[in-house]
Amino acid sequence: MADTSMTIGWLGTGRMGFQLARRLLEGGYDVTVYNRTRSKAESLQEYGARVVDTPVELADRDVVFSMVSASKDLHTVMLGENGLLTGSSAPKIVCDSSTVSVEASQELREAAAKVGTAVLATPVSGNPKVVAAGMLTLAASGPRSAFDQVEPLLHALGRGATYVGEGEVARLVKIAHNVFLGVVTQSLAEITVLAEKGGVSRAAFLDFLNDSVMGSVFSRYKTPAFVNLDFAPTFTMPLLQKDFDLGLHAGDELGVPMPIASATRQIVAAEAGAGNRDTDFATLLLRVAKGAGVDLVSEDVAVSDGLEVR
């Protein structure tokens, strides 16, 4: 049985934050939440959450998670008026899962150190549906002692939490992950169109692929989108382009040539520049098909995404 005695604070209850906080509540944890738009957090009350009006009201929690969308938002909830770290007390550990710059994260670490709070960078891999299925994974970096304290809590959020080192290296892990995500999707689109133009249905080809050694959780997850052309957004082209840019910048700084990533980035950037900004990045399939002279239509086949709620 997990030790649920730690008190938890949660900053940011957007689509992902809401589902993760809910998972902790359903796991028996004492969770108090804050969101800039209070109404987006209030639905968590039915699962047992307490909702507060300012971040500083979470300062008495043992561990506080933050999941906000930008560097300026992180600064606001941590160090702005009534920010988490501006009161007379402070949490023992902050786990930051936000997508922010290294500079913003470093500012947080320095401010937290002054009040005796340890900071872990804890980026996640997944989306709300993956969270609901219990298949979210996390990377964590920062003080090893802090990770050891919260490791059971991180595992409660999904199926795995990996300690990857000190400082900000978890953010590099997440960027590398997302670069791979884009490259794999482009490659998957190319071979799927190749098979279809040769006379094989997308459903049949992907069924074969998913049962082979090359199949993965991700290829299964994207199969419904590829087969039935449902491109409701889980991750958009502009967001993927941003992560490619970050990854290629890291490659330049570290002296790592990344020709395949660079080529894929150009395809993603062209899509974003052409106005493909609000649909899922799986629409890379449509671009490949257009280039191959293939007019795709939905196959209208019931296929599994491989996610079963755990």
Side-chain angles (χ1 to χ4, degrees):
M1 297 272 306
D3 177 8
T4 58
S5 62
M6 284 190 292
T7 58
I8 312 301
W10 198 284
L11 287 166
T13 57
R15 288 193 310 148
M16 280 290 286
F18 183 97
Q19 293 298 332
L20 289 167
R22 173 180 169 177
R23 191 169 180 86
L24 291 177
L25 287 160
E26 291 178 336
Y29 285 94
D30 174 354
V31 183
T32 300
V33 300
Y34 166 83
N35 194 69
R36 182 173 55 187
T37 304
R38 182 186 171 99
S39 60
K40 292 183 178 180
E42 288 178 340
S43 296
L44 287 167
Q45 290 175 320
E46 65 181 276
Y47 302 100
R50 183 169 67 95
V51 181
V52 296
D53 294 315
T54 60
V56 74
E57 293 174 74
L58 302 179
D60 63 347
R61 304 270 91 186
D62 294 323
V63 180
V64 175
F65 286 85
S66 52
M67 184 171 276
V68 297
S69 58
S71 297
K72 62 181 178 58
D73 299 319
L74 184 65
H75 175 87
T76 297
V77 298
M78 292 293 174
L79 302 172
E81 184 178 1
N82 293 317
L84 178 68
L85 302 179
T86 64
S88 58
S89 61
K92 298 174 184 175
I93 300 171
V94 166
C95 296
D96 179 45
S97 302
S98 309
T99 301
V100 297
S101 68
V102 172
E103 291 77 14
S105 186
Q106 184 60 34
E107 178 188 42
L108 169 59
R109 287 184 186 277
E110 291 174 358
K114 293 177 182 178
V115 295
T117 297
V119 175
L120 290 171
T122 52
V124 302
S125 171
N127 57 47
K129 191 170 183 179
V130 172
V131 174
M135 298 179 71
L136 184 90
T137 55
L138 304 96
S141 64
R144 179 69 201 223
S145 59
F147 174 78
D148 290 340
Q149 291 179 63
V150 303
E151 184 177 10
L153 180 60
L154 298 179
H155 280 284
L157 294 174
R159 68 173 187 170
T162 304
Y163 179 75
V164 296
E166 296 286 340
E168 298 300 316
V169 294
R171 301 191 194 278
L172 177 59
V173 169
K174 176 62 183 295
I175 292 302
H177 169 281
N178 283 5
V179 168
F180 188 48
L181 185 74
V183 168
V184 166
T185 303
Q186 175 65 21
S187 181
L188 185 63
E190 291 173 7
I191 60 173
T192 300
V193 171
L194 174 65
E196 175 160 359
K197 194 164 186 180
V200 183
S201 73
R202 299 191 302 279
F205 173 69
L206 290 167
D207 184 55
F208 162 76
L209 182 76
N210 289 335
D211 283 340
S212 77
V213 295
M214 295 303 295
S216 66
V217 171
F218 179 71
S219 67
R220 291 180 181 89
Y221 179 62
K222 282 302 178 189
T223 291
F226 272 36
V227 170
N228 296 323
L229 308 185
D230 178 4
F231 299 119
T234 62
F235 197 54
T236 62
M237 292 291 183
L239 293 175
L240 185 57
Q241 180 184 341
K242 179 193 71 172
D243 286 347
F244 266 110
D245 290 342
L246 291 170
L248 291 168
H249 177 70
D252 287 342
E253 286 195 329
L254 296 172
V256 178
M258 301 173 68
I260 295 174
S262 182
T264 306
R265 185 267 177 200
Q266 296 307 314
I267 296 168
V268 170
E271 279 293 295
N276 184 355
R277 305 184 68 82
D278 299 316
T279 56
D280 193 73
F281 69 105
T283 49
L284 286 168
L285 178 74
L286 302 180
R287 181 181 180 90
V288 175
K290 182 178 180 180
V294 176
D295 185 17
L296 296 183
V297 296
S298 170
E299 293 183 355
D300 195 22
V301 176
V303 289
S304 171
D305 61 8
L307 298 182
E308 297 177 355
V309 177
R310 299 180 180 182

